[in-house]
Amino acid sequence: MNDARRFVDLPAGRLQLPNDPEDSFPMRTKDWQRIRSRVESLASKRRDYAALAWAAVGAFVTAVFTACTWAPAFSIMDDPQKFAFAWVWPAIIGFGVLGIITAAIGFLAAGDFARRERATAEELLGEMDDIYPQGS
């Protein structure tokens, strides 16, 4: 048997470079996975503290309006009725104070979260520029 018939002739290997630089974007898989996990963590940690804070502001405003309507009603009650409804003023005041405290904590948390989100986005942009600098 002839040995030349057992092998298939293949053309010599060639290196083909793309004409468009965007087609040859060098990036290690490890770098891509690290950036992808950071972006996924931004999406998964999303908390809407501002919505909670605005709801608490609404609770405070409700307490104020309730106090405005309760004060005239309480002033025309006789003593046994005032004694029976003595719990209403502390409840209104407590609800208002709780609304103010919750709103303050919610707005502080929303600001802190937004600051951390901006810092993480800046870090991600820096890492992306390290991998593929803009303007190159």
Side-chain angles (χ1 to χ4, degrees):
M1 182 170 217
N2 190 354
D3 286 329
R5 291 184 188 192
R6 290 177 38 201
F7 297 105
V8 177
D9 290 334
L10 297 175
R14 290 182 285 175
L15 179 62
Q16 295 178 346
L17 297 175
N19 293 332
D20 188 14
E22 288 294 323
D23 293 337
S24 62
F25 183 69
M27 183 173 208
R28 293 186 311 215
T29 305
K30 180 181 174 184
D31 292 335
W32 177 254
Q33 289 172 344
R34 179 173 37 87
I35 291 174
R36 181 166 173 73
S37 68
R38 303 263 319 261
V39 171
E40 285 175 351
S41 73
L42 280 177
S44 67
K45 291 180 183 175
R46 185 78 180 134
R47 304 278 192 270
D48 211 352
Y49 295 115
L52 171 69
W54 283 111
V57 168
F60 171 73
V61 171
T62 300
V64 169
F65 286 142
T66 303
C68 290
T69 57
W70 180 250
F74 190 74
S75 67
I76 61 171
M77 291 181 181
D78 57 5
D79 287 336
Q81 289 174 331
K82 286 182 179 180
F83 183 74
F85 294 103
W87 60 271
V88 175
W89 273 120
I92 292 171
I93 292 169
F95 196 66
V97 169
L98 183 66
I100 289 283
I101 292 171
T102 305
I105 291 171
F107 284 128
L108 289 173
D112 184 50
F113 184 76
R115 182 185 52 76
R116 287 183 188 190
E117 206 171 39
R118 279 191 302 274
T120 304
E122 289 172 5
E123 290 172 9
L124 285 172
L125 288 173
E127 289 179 17
M128 292 171 78
D129 286 343
D130 289 343
I131 294 168
Y132 187 71
Q134 291 291 77
S136 313

